[in-house]
Structures are given as structure tokens and as C-alpha cells.
Amino acid sequence: MTMKKLIAGNWKMNGGLAANEVLLRALLAQIGAPAADVAVCAPAPYLAQLQSLLQGGPVAWGSQDVSAHEQGAYTGEVSVAMLRDFGCRYAIVGHSERRQYHGETDAVVAAKAQRALAGGVTPIVCVGEMLAEREAGQTEAVVKRQLAAVIHAVAHCTSEIVVAYEPVWAIGTGKTATPEQAQQVHAVLRAQLAAATAHPERVRILYGGSMNAANAASLLAQPDIDGGLIGGASLKAPDFLQIVAAAH
Ligand code: PGA
């Protein structure tokens, strides 16, 4: 059985009630019955809006982060139970912007992934090297270290995660990894998953980093690229829909 591809939008800190509604209604009007699974990951305050507009339709939704803690005195945090209350299927975990600007370590990211899974939300675990790391020949070592922490934490549930390979130098820069560059890293991640789970083919490994309507098809044609995590292009309905259409 081959898994359906997953196309997930990462709105980041963009949007608003009015703009979200326009975007979501445009998606719903034109998406039809997509071959791929489709989701949008919105800022937490809009999860209720996503639930009311997307419930029962072809577009799932998720958050961009989740607390590593179950509940309690963690001001500003959002728990997995809260995400479940609003119907989230996915939570992005360990996005490079959270690693860079919010000090999230591999251990924190692993704890978040574990908490999400335990609470019934699929973590989309982001890994990826910075430009200096790529130039120093450390790409494989970096992504393997990042994924190893998560595999160690989630153990026998490894086949239930989603992984997103997002080279940091490609995020929001318009510099996409070539399909060959991306495939090379995805193959490394697949091999690492194969050592940890009997069903590595069930783990979707998304590519993220300036994926757009023009380059999606060639990236998604790679054997180990099982979908995309889409930032900028997920804010424009026609672009996001073209990426969804390229995923089959
Ligand atoms: P981008 O962002 O598509 O705008 O490069 C991807 C991401 O950060 O998830």
C-alpha cells in the first residue's frame, strides 16, 4: 500500500478572520476530491474558525506548535487536548523558526512530538540544516540528529509521525532545493526510519522550503518525497490548489 501524499499549508503568523474566510472558501470551492490528503496549519486563535468552516470537508487542519506539557502553569502554551477540542489532526513540531527564535532544542521538539501523538494529534516533525551546515558537509548529520531525538522519544509509534525536511536556507527565500538534493536527504531519512520501524513506507516525508506551483510536480515526483509543507504559497488559493493538484 502506498500512502496518500500530504500537502500541508503552514500559514505562519499570517491571516485574520476575514482573509482566512476568503482563502478557505476559495479552497473549498475548487479543491474537488483531491488525490492527496490536504491540511492547513493556522495560528491557534483561528482553530475554531477552521473547525467551523472545514468540518466534514476535504481539508483537514492543524496547529503550528503544541506544548510539551499536558496542562498546568505554562502561560501562553496550548495543550494537545485543546487542539483536539478544535478538531486538529496535525501539529507542526520543531519548525526551524521555533528552533531558531524560540530556542527549541532537539529534546524539546521530541517531547512535543511525543505529547502530540499521545494526545491523538499527528506531529509534523520538521528537520533541516542551515546553509553553513550544508556548506560544511553536515547536512546528513544534522537531520539525522534531529530525527533521532524524535524516534527515541516516540519509539514504537514512529510509523505514526509525519516528517518534513525543510532546509533552512530554502525557507521563504525562493531558493528551493533541487529535486535531487531533496531526494538525497529524504532517502537518508527513510533509511533512518527503516531502522526504527517495520513500516518506514507509512511515514510521509514532506519537503518544505519555497515549494510552489511551478516546482511542486518535479519535487513530488521523487520516490521519497511524499508531500509538501507549504509556507508562502499556501496563502494564495490558486497556488496552493496547483500544488495539491500536482500531488497524486
Ligand atoms: P516557504 O515556507 O514555503 O514559505 O518557504 C515553508 C515552511 O517554512 O514551512
Short mmCIF file of all heavy atoms in Angstrom, two decimals, residues 3-4 6 89-93 99 109-118 120-127 143-144 146-165 189-190 192-194 196-197 199-206 226:
data_model
loop_
_atom_site.label_atom_id
_atom_site.label_comp_id
_atom_site.label_asym_id
_atom_site.label_seq_id
_atom_site.Cartn_x
_atom_site.Cartn_y
_atom_site.Cartn_z
N MET A 3 1.13 5.17 0.63
CA MET A 3 0.40 6.20 1.37
C MET A 3 -0.02 7.31 0.42
O MET A 3 0.68 7.61 -0.53
CB MET A 3 1.31 6.82 2.44
CG MET A 3 1.68 5.89 3.55
SD MET A 3 0.30 5.56 4.64
CE MET A 3 0.11 7.12 5.50
N LYS A 4 -1.15 7.91 0.74
CA LYS A 4 -1.51 9.14 0.02
C LYS A 4 -0.47 10.20 0.35
O LYS A 4 0.01 10.28 1.48
CB LYS A 4 -2.85 9.66 0.53
CG LYS A 4 -4.05 9.08 -0.15
CD LYS A 4 -5.25 9.91 0.31
CE LYS A 4 -6.53 9.34 -0.22
NZ LYS A 4 -7.68 10.13 0.22
N LEU A 6 0.66 14.01 1.33
CA LEU A 6 0.07 15.03 2.20
C LEU A 6 0.59 16.40 1.79
O LEU A 6 1.81 16.60 1.73
CB LEU A 6 0.44 14.75 3.67
CG LEU A 6 0.10 15.85 4.68
CD1 LEU A 6 -1.40 16.11 4.76
CD2 LEU A 6 0.63 15.49 6.07
N ARG A 89 -6.06 17.74 13.37
CA ARG A 89 -5.50 16.43 13.07
C ARG A 89 -3.98 16.46 13.16
O ARG A 89 -3.35 15.45 13.43
CB ARG A 89 -5.92 15.98 11.67
CG ARG A 89 -5.44 14.57 11.35
CD ARG A 89 -6.06 14.01 10.08
NE ARG A 89 -7.49 14.16 10.06
CZ ARG A 89 -8.25 14.00 8.97
NH1 ARG A 89 -7.69 13.69 7.82
NH2 ARG A 89 -9.55 14.16 9.02
N TYR A 90 -3.39 17.64 12.90
CA TYR A 90 -1.94 17.75 12.83
C TYR A 90 -1.43 18.87 13.72
O TYR A 90 -2.15 19.84 13.98
CB TYR A 90 -1.48 18.07 11.40
CG TYR A 90 -1.91 17.04 10.37
CD1 TYR A 90 -3.04 17.26 9.56
CD2 TYR A 90 -1.19 15.87 10.19
CE1 TYR A 90 -3.43 16.32 8.61
CE2 TYR A 90 -1.57 14.93 9.23
CZ TYR A 90 -2.69 15.16 8.45
OH TYR A 90 -3.07 14.24 7.51
N ALA A 91 -0.18 18.75 14.16
CA ALA A 91 0.53 19.86 14.79
C ALA A 91 1.94 19.88 14.20
O ALA A 91 2.65 18.87 14.26
CB ALA A 91 0.61 19.69 16.30
N ILE A 92 2.32 21.01 13.63
CA ILE A 92 3.72 21.16 13.21
C ILE A 92 4.55 21.23 14.49
O ILE A 92 4.17 21.89 15.47
CB ILE A 92 3.90 22.46 12.39
CG1 ILE A 92 3.09 22.39 11.09
CG2 ILE A 92 5.37 22.71 12.08
CD1 ILE A 92 3.05 23.72 10.31
N VAL A 93 5.66 20.53 14.49
CA VAL A 93 6.53 20.49 15.67
C VAL A 93 7.98 20.71 15.22
O VAL A 93 8.42 20.12 14.24
CB VAL A 93 6.38 19.11 16.37
CG1 VAL A 93 7.49 18.90 17.38
CG2 VAL A 93 5.02 18.98 17.03
N ARG A 99 12.85 26.58 16.36
CA ARG A 99 14.19 26.20 16.83
C ARG A 99 15.08 27.44 16.92
O ARG A 99 15.81 27.63 17.89
CB ARG A 99 14.82 25.17 15.89
CG ARG A 99 14.11 23.80 15.86
CD ARG A 99 14.80 22.87 14.86
NE ARG A 99 14.10 21.63 14.60
CZ ARG A 99 14.37 20.45 15.17
NH1 ARG A 99 15.33 20.33 16.07
NH2 ARG A 99 13.68 19.38 14.83
N VAL A 109 11.69 19.41 21.06
CA VAL A 109 10.93 19.01 19.88
C VAL A 109 10.46 17.56 20.03
O VAL A 109 9.30 17.23 19.73
CB VAL A 109 11.79 19.18 18.60
CG1 VAL A 109 11.08 18.61 17.38
CG2 VAL A 109 12.13 20.67 18.39
N ALA A 110 11.33 16.71 20.53
CA ALA A 110 10.96 15.30 20.72
C ALA A 110 9.84 15.18 21.75
O ALA A 110 8.89 14.40 21.56
CB ALA A 110 12.19 14.51 21.17
N ALA A 111 9.92 15.95 22.82
CA ALA A 111 8.87 15.89 23.86
C ALA A 111 7.54 16.37 23.29
O ALA A 111 6.47 15.82 23.61
CB ALA A 111 9.28 16.73 25.06
N LYS A 112 7.59 17.38 22.46
CA LYS A 112 6.35 17.89 21.84
C LYS A 112 5.75 16.85 20.90
O LYS A 112 4.53 16.64 20.88
CB LYS A 112 6.64 19.19 21.09
CG LYS A 112 6.92 20.36 22.02
CD LYS A 112 7.13 21.65 21.27
CE LYS A 112 7.14 22.82 22.27
NZ LYS A 112 7.08 24.11 21.60
N ALA A 113 6.60 16.20 20.11
CA ALA A 113 6.11 15.18 19.19
C ALA A 113 5.45 14.04 19.97
O ALA A 113 4.37 13.55 19.59
CB ALA A 113 7.26 14.65 18.33
N GLN A 114 6.09 13.66 21.04
CA GLN A 114 5.56 12.57 21.86
C GLN A 114 4.22 12.97 22.49
O GLN A 114 3.26 12.19 22.49
CB GLN A 114 6.58 12.24 22.95
CG GLN A 114 6.21 11.06 23.81
CD GLN A 114 7.25 10.84 24.90
OE1 GLN A 114 7.95 11.78 25.30
NE2 GLN A 114 7.37 9.61 25.36
N ARG A 115 4.14 14.20 22.97
CA ARG A 115 2.90 14.68 23.60
C ARG A 115 1.77 14.74 22.57
O ARG A 115 0.63 14.38 22.85
CB ARG A 115 3.14 16.06 24.23
CG ARG A 115 1.96 16.61 24.97
CD ARG A 115 1.62 15.84 26.24
NE ARG A 115 2.66 15.97 27.24
CZ ARG A 115 2.71 15.25 28.38
NH1 ARG A 115 1.76 14.37 28.63
NH2 ARG A 115 3.69 15.41 29.23
N ALA A 116 2.09 15.22 21.39
CA ALA A 116 1.07 15.30 20.34
C ALA A 116 0.51 13.91 20.03
O ALA A 116 -0.71 13.70 20.05
CB ALA A 116 1.66 15.93 19.08
N LEU A 117 1.40 12.96 19.80
CA LEU A 117 0.97 11.59 19.47
C LEU A 117 0.13 11.00 20.59
O LEU A 117 -0.92 10.40 20.33
CB LEU A 117 2.19 10.69 19.26
CG LEU A 117 2.77 10.54 17.88
CD1 LEU A 117 3.87 9.49 17.93
CD2 LEU A 117 1.71 10.16 16.86
N ALA A 118 0.59 11.19 21.81
CA ALA A 118 -0.12 10.62 22.95
C ALA A 118 -1.52 11.21 23.06
O ALA A 118 -2.45 10.56 23.53
CB ALA A 118 0.67 10.86 24.24
N GLY A 120 -3.33 12.19 20.48
CA GLY A 120 -4.14 11.89 19.31
C GLY A 120 -4.01 12.89 18.17
O GLY A 120 -4.89 12.96 17.31
N VAL A 121 -2.93 13.64 18.15
CA VAL A 121 -2.68 14.59 17.06
C VAL A 121 -1.38 14.18 16.38
O VAL A 121 -0.39 13.87 17.05
CB VAL A 121 -2.58 16.03 17.61
CG1 VAL A 121 -2.04 17.00 16.57
CG2 VAL A 121 -3.95 16.50 18.12
N THR A 122 -1.38 14.15 15.06
CA THR A 122 -0.20 13.72 14.32
C THR A 122 0.83 14.84 14.25
O THR A 122 0.54 15.90 13.68
CB THR A 122 -0.59 13.31 12.89
OG1 THR A 122 -1.52 12.22 12.96
CG2 THR A 122 0.62 12.89 12.07
N PRO A 123 2.02 14.62 14.80
CA PRO A 123 3.04 15.66 14.69
C PRO A 123 3.67 15.67 13.30
O PRO A 123 3.98 14.61 12.75
CB PRO A 123 4.07 15.26 15.75
CG PRO A 123 3.93 13.77 15.88
CD PRO A 123 2.48 13.46 15.58
N ILE A 124 3.82 16.84 12.73
CA ILE A 124 4.61 17.02 11.51
C ILE A 124 5.96 17.55 11.98
O ILE A 124 6.11 18.73 12.32
CB ILE A 124 3.94 18.02 10.54
CG1 ILE A 124 2.54 17.52 10.13
CG2 ILE A 124 4.81 18.25 9.31
CD1 ILE A 124 1.74 18.50 9.25
N VAL A 125 6.91 16.64 12.08
CA VAL A 125 8.20 16.94 12.70
C VAL A 125 9.14 17.53 11.67
O VAL A 125 9.47 16.86 10.68
CB VAL A 125 8.83 15.65 13.28
CG1 VAL A 125 10.22 15.94 13.81
CG2 VAL A 125 7.93 15.04 14.35
N CYS A 126 9.56 18.77 11.89
CA CYS A 126 10.43 19.44 10.92
C CYS A 126 11.90 19.22 11.26
O CYS A 126 12.30 19.36 12.43
CB CYS A 126 10.16 20.94 10.90
SG CYS A 126 8.45 21.35 10.47
N VAL A 127 12.68 18.90 10.24
CA VAL A 127 14.12 18.81 10.38
C VAL A 127 14.73 19.57 9.20
O VAL A 127 14.08 19.76 8.17
CB VAL A 127 14.61 17.34 10.37
CG1 VAL A 127 13.99 16.56 11.53
CG2 VAL A 127 14.32 16.64 9.04
N VAL A 143 20.30 16.43 10.12
CA VAL A 143 18.91 15.93 10.04
C VAL A 143 18.77 14.60 10.78
O VAL A 143 17.74 14.34 11.40
CB VAL A 143 18.38 15.84 8.59
CG1 VAL A 143 18.38 17.21 7.93
CG2 VAL A 143 19.14 14.83 7.75
N LYS A 144 19.81 13.79 10.74
CA LYS A 144 19.74 12.51 11.46
C LYS A 144 19.70 12.73 12.97
O LYS A 144 18.97 12.04 13.68
CB LYS A 144 20.92 11.61 11.08
CG LYS A 144 20.74 10.97 9.71
CD LYS A 144 21.99 10.30 9.22
CE LYS A 144 22.09 8.85 9.67
NZ LYS A 144 23.22 8.18 8.96
N GLN A 146 18.49 15.37 14.47
CA GLN A 146 17.16 15.93 14.80
C GLN A 146 16.09 14.84 14.80
O GLN A 146 15.24 14.80 15.70
CB GLN A 146 16.81 17.04 13.80
CG GLN A 146 17.70 18.27 13.95
CD GLN A 146 17.49 19.29 12.83
OE1 GLN A 146 17.13 18.95 11.70
NE2 GLN A 146 17.74 20.55 13.13
N LEU A 147 16.13 13.96 13.80
CA LEU A 147 15.12 12.91 13.74
C LEU A 147 15.34 11.84 14.80
O LEU A 147 14.38 11.30 15.36
CB LEU A 147 15.10 12.28 12.34
CG LEU A 147 14.03 11.20 12.11
CD1 LEU A 147 12.61 11.74 12.37
CD2 LEU A 147 14.11 10.63 10.68
N ALA A 148 16.61 11.57 15.10
CA ALA A 148 16.91 10.53 16.10
C ALA A 148 16.29 10.86 17.46
O ALA A 148 15.78 9.98 18.15
CB ALA A 148 18.42 10.36 16.24
N ALA A 149 16.31 12.12 17.82
CA ALA A 149 15.73 12.52 19.11
C ALA A 149 14.25 12.19 19.15
O ALA A 149 13.72 11.71 20.17
CB ALA A 149 15.96 14.02 19.35
N VAL A 150 13.58 12.43 18.05
CA VAL A 150 12.13 12.17 17.98
C VAL A 150 11.86 10.67 17.98
O VAL A 150 10.98 10.18 18.70
CB VAL A 150 11.51 12.86 16.75
CG1 VAL A 150 10.06 12.46 16.57
CG2 VAL A 150 11.65 14.38 16.88
N ILE A 151 12.62 9.93 17.19
CA ILE A 151 12.43 8.47 17.14
C ILE A 151 12.64 7.87 18.53
O ILE A 151 11.88 7.01 18.97
CB ILE A 151 13.39 7.84 16.11
CG1 ILE A 151 12.96 8.19 14.68
CG2 ILE A 151 13.46 6.32 16.28
CD1 ILE A 151 13.94 7.75 13.60
N HIS A 152 13.65 8.36 19.20
CA HIS A 152 13.94 7.85 20.55
C HIS A 152 12.74 8.10 21.48
O HIS A 152 12.37 7.25 22.27
CB HIS A 152 15.20 8.53 21.10
CG HIS A 152 15.57 8.08 22.46
ND1 HIS A 152 16.15 6.86 22.71
CD2 HIS A 152 15.42 8.67 23.67
CE1 HIS A 152 16.34 6.72 24.01
NE2 HIS A 152 15.91 7.81 24.62
N ALA A 153 12.12 9.27 21.34
CA ALA A 153 11.01 9.63 22.24
C ALA A 153 9.72 8.89 21.89
O ALA A 153 8.98 8.49 22.78
CB ALA A 153 10.77 11.15 22.20
N VAL A 154 9.45 8.71 20.61
CA VAL A 154 8.14 8.13 20.25
C VAL A 154 8.22 6.62 20.05
O VAL A 154 7.18 5.94 19.99
CB VAL A 154 7.49 8.82 19.01
CG1 VAL A 154 7.39 10.31 19.23
CG2 VAL A 154 8.23 8.51 17.72
N ALA A 155 9.43 6.10 19.92
CA ALA A 155 9.70 4.65 19.91
C ALA A 155 8.77 3.87 18.97
O ALA A 155 8.80 4.09 17.77
CB ALA A 155 9.64 4.12 21.35
N HIS A 156 7.93 3.00 19.55
CA HIS A 156 7.13 2.11 18.70
C HIS A 156 6.05 2.86 17.92
O HIS A 156 5.37 2.26 17.09
CB HIS A 156 6.52 0.99 19.53
CG HIS A 156 5.53 1.47 20.55
ND1 HIS A 156 5.91 1.97 21.77
CD2 HIS A 156 4.18 1.57 20.50
CE1 HIS A 156 4.84 2.35 22.44
NE2 HIS A 156 3.78 2.13 21.70
N CYS A 157 5.87 4.14 18.18
CA CYS A 157 4.89 4.93 17.42
C CYS A 157 5.53 5.68 16.25
O CYS A 157 4.88 6.54 15.63
CB CYS A 157 4.18 5.92 18.33
SG CYS A 157 3.20 5.12 19.61
N THR A 158 6.77 5.35 15.95
CA THR A 158 7.48 6.09 14.90
C THR A 158 6.72 6.09 13.57
O THR A 158 6.72 7.10 12.86
CB THR A 158 8.90 5.51 14.70
OG1 THR A 158 9.64 5.75 15.91
CG2 THR A 158 9.62 6.17 13.54
N SER A 159 6.04 5.01 13.25
CA SER A 159 5.36 4.96 11.94
C SER A 159 4.17 5.92 11.88
O SER A 159 3.59 6.11 10.82
CB SER A 159 4.91 3.54 11.61
OG SER A 159 3.92 3.12 12.52
N GLU A 160 3.79 6.51 13.03
CA GLU A 160 2.63 7.41 13.05
C GLU A 160 2.98 8.89 12.87
O GLU A 160 2.08 9.74 12.81
CB GLU A 160 1.85 7.22 14.36
CG GLU A 160 1.20 5.86 14.44
CD GLU A 160 0.71 5.54 15.84
OE1 GLU A 160 0.20 6.45 16.51
OE2 GLU A 160 0.85 4.37 16.24
N ILE A 161 4.25 9.20 12.81
CA ILE A 161 4.61 10.61 12.66
C ILE A 161 4.64 10.98 11.17
O ILE A 161 4.66 10.12 10.29
CB ILE A 161 5.97 10.96 13.32
CG1 ILE A 161 7.14 10.30 12.59
CG2 ILE A 161 5.96 10.56 14.79
CD1 ILE A 161 8.52 10.75 13.10
N VAL A 162 4.63 12.28 10.92
CA VAL A 162 4.96 12.82 9.60
C VAL A 162 6.27 13.57 9.79
O VAL A 162 6.46 14.23 10.81
CB VAL A 162 3.85 13.77 9.09
CG1 VAL A 162 4.27 14.48 7.81
CG2 VAL A 162 2.54 13.00 8.87
N VAL A 163 7.16 13.44 8.83
CA VAL A 163 8.43 14.18 8.88
C VAL A 163 8.41 15.22 7.77
O VAL A 163 7.86 14.97 6.69
CB VAL A 163 9.63 13.21 8.67
CG1 VAL A 163 10.95 13.97 8.64
CG2 VAL A 163 9.65 12.14 9.77
N ALA A 164 8.96 16.40 8.05
CA ALA A 164 9.11 17.40 6.99
C ALA A 164 10.57 17.78 6.90
O ALA A 164 11.14 18.28 7.89
CB ALA A 164 8.25 18.63 7.26
N TYR A 165 11.19 17.54 5.75
CA TYR A 165 12.55 18.01 5.53
C TYR A 165 12.48 19.43 4.97
O TYR A 165 11.96 19.65 3.87
CB TYR A 165 13.31 17.10 4.56
CG TYR A 165 14.62 17.71 4.12
CD1 TYR A 165 15.56 18.15 5.06
CD2 TYR A 165 14.92 17.91 2.78
CE1 TYR A 165 16.75 18.76 4.68
CE2 TYR A 165 16.10 18.50 2.37
CZ TYR A 165 17.01 18.93 3.34
OH TYR A 165 18.18 19.54 2.96
N LEU A 189 16.67 9.96 5.41
CA LEU A 189 15.65 9.92 6.48
C LEU A 189 14.86 8.62 6.41
O LEU A 189 14.55 8.02 7.43
CB LEU A 189 14.72 11.14 6.36
CG LEU A 189 15.41 12.49 6.57
CD1 LEU A 189 14.46 13.64 6.21
CD2 LEU A 189 15.89 12.65 8.01
N ARG A 190 14.55 8.18 5.20
CA ARG A 190 13.80 6.92 5.04
C ARG A 190 14.62 5.76 5.62
O ARG A 190 14.07 4.89 6.31
CB ARG A 190 13.49 6.65 3.57
CG ARG A 190 12.62 5.41 3.36
CD ARG A 190 11.14 5.67 3.53
NE ARG A 190 10.68 6.58 2.51
CZ ARG A 190 9.56 7.31 2.58
NH1 ARG A 190 8.77 7.22 3.64
NH2 ARG A 190 9.23 8.14 1.61
N GLN A 192 16.84 5.91 7.91
CA GLN A 192 16.85 6.04 9.37
C GLN A 192 15.53 5.54 9.96
O GLN A 192 15.52 4.85 10.99
CB GLN A 192 17.09 7.51 9.74
CG GLN A 192 17.29 7.75 11.22
CD GLN A 192 17.58 9.21 11.52
OE1 GLN A 192 17.52 10.07 10.63
NE2 GLN A 192 17.88 9.51 12.77
N LEU A 193 14.43 5.84 9.31
CA LEU A 193 13.12 5.36 9.77
C LEU A 193 13.04 3.84 9.66
O LEU A 193 12.45 3.17 10.51
CB LEU A 193 12.00 6.01 8.95
CG LEU A 193 11.80 7.51 9.20
CD1 LEU A 193 10.99 8.13 8.08
CD2 LEU A 193 11.11 7.74 10.55
N ALA A 194 13.66 3.29 8.61
CA ALA A 194 13.60 1.84 8.39
C ALA A 194 14.29 1.08 9.52
O ALA A 194 13.92 -0.05 9.83
CB ALA A 194 14.22 1.49 7.05
N ALA A 196 14.09 2.00 12.51
CA ALA A 196 13.32 2.24 13.74
C ALA A 196 11.91 1.68 13.69
O ALA A 196 11.25 1.54 14.72
CB ALA A 196 13.24 3.75 14.01
N THR A 197 11.42 1.39 12.52
CA THR A 197 10.04 0.91 12.40
C THR A 197 9.96 -0.11 11.28
O THR A 197 10.68 -0.01 10.28
CB THR A 197 9.05 2.07 12.13
OG1 THR A 197 7.80 1.50 11.70
CG2 THR A 197 9.54 3.02 11.06
N HIS A 199 7.61 -0.32 9.32
CA HIS A 199 6.85 0.23 8.19
C HIS A 199 7.30 1.65 7.82
O HIS A 199 6.52 2.60 7.91
CB HIS A 199 5.35 0.23 8.51
CG HIS A 199 4.82 -1.16 8.68
ND1 HIS A 199 4.68 -2.04 7.63
CD2 HIS A 199 4.44 -1.84 9.79
CE1 HIS A 199 4.22 -3.19 8.07
NE2 HIS A 199 4.07 -3.10 9.39
N PRO A 200 8.54 1.78 7.39
CA PRO A 200 9.04 3.12 7.05
C PRO A 200 8.28 3.74 5.89
O PRO A 200 8.23 4.96 5.77
CB PRO A 200 10.51 2.86 6.67
CG PRO A 200 10.54 1.43 6.24
CD PRO A 200 9.53 0.73 7.12
N GLU A 201 7.65 2.89 5.07
CA GLU A 201 6.92 3.43 3.92
C GLU A 201 5.63 4.10 4.35
O GLU A 201 5.02 4.84 3.58
CB GLU A 201 6.65 2.31 2.90
CG GLU A 201 5.52 1.35 3.25
CD GLU A 201 5.87 0.33 4.35
OE1 GLU A 201 7.04 0.29 4.79
OE2 GLU A 201 4.96 -0.42 4.76
N ARG A 202 5.22 3.88 5.59
CA ARG A 202 3.99 4.53 6.08
C ARG A 202 4.25 5.95 6.57
O ARG A 202 3.31 6.70 6.84
CB ARG A 202 3.40 3.74 7.25
CG ARG A 202 2.78 2.45 6.81
CD ARG A 202 1.98 1.86 7.98
NE ARG A 202 1.67 0.48 7.69
CZ ARG A 202 1.37 -0.44 8.60
NH1 ARG A 202 1.34 -0.10 9.89
NH2 ARG A 202 1.09 -1.66 8.25
N VAL A 203 5.49 6.28 6.77
CA VAL A 203 5.82 7.62 7.27
C VAL A 203 5.95 8.56 6.09
O VAL A 203 6.79 8.36 5.22
CB VAL A 203 7.14 7.61 8.06
CG1 VAL A 203 7.45 9.01 8.58
CG2 VAL A 203 7.07 6.61 9.21
N ARG A 204 5.11 9.57 6.08
CA ARG A 204 5.22 10.53 4.99
C ARG A 204 6.33 11.52 5.29
O ARG A 204 6.37 12.10 6.37
CB ARG A 204 3.88 11.21 4.75
CG ARG A 204 2.94 10.19 4.09
CD ARG A 204 1.59 10.69 3.86
NE ARG A 204 0.86 10.91 5.09
CZ ARG A 204 -0.44 11.18 5.10
NH1 ARG A 204 -1.11 11.26 3.97
NH2 ARG A 204 -1.07 11.37 6.24
N ILE A 205 7.22 11.66 4.32
CA ILE A 205 8.33 12.62 4.45
C ILE A 205 8.04 13.75 3.46
O ILE A 205 8.13 13.57 2.24
CB ILE A 205 9.69 11.96 4.15
CG1 ILE A 205 9.87 10.67 4.98
CG2 ILE A 205 10.81 12.95 4.44
CD1 ILE A 205 11.18 9.92 4.67
N LEU A 206 7.65 14.89 4.01
CA LEU A 206 7.28 16.05 3.20
C LEU A 206 8.54 16.86 2.89
O LEU A 206 9.48 16.88 3.69
CB LEU A 206 6.29 16.95 3.95
CG LEU A 206 5.12 16.29 4.68
CD1 LEU A 206 4.22 17.37 5.29
CD2 LEU A 206 4.33 15.37 3.75
N ASP A 226 6.95 12.58 -0.17
CA ASP A 226 5.56 12.12 0.00
C ASP A 226 4.60 13.28 0.24
O ASP A 226 3.50 13.07 0.76
CB ASP A 226 5.48 11.17 1.20
CG ASP A 226 6.50 10.05 1.11
OD1 ASP A 226 6.62 9.45 0.03
OD2 ASP A 226 7.19 9.80 2.11
#
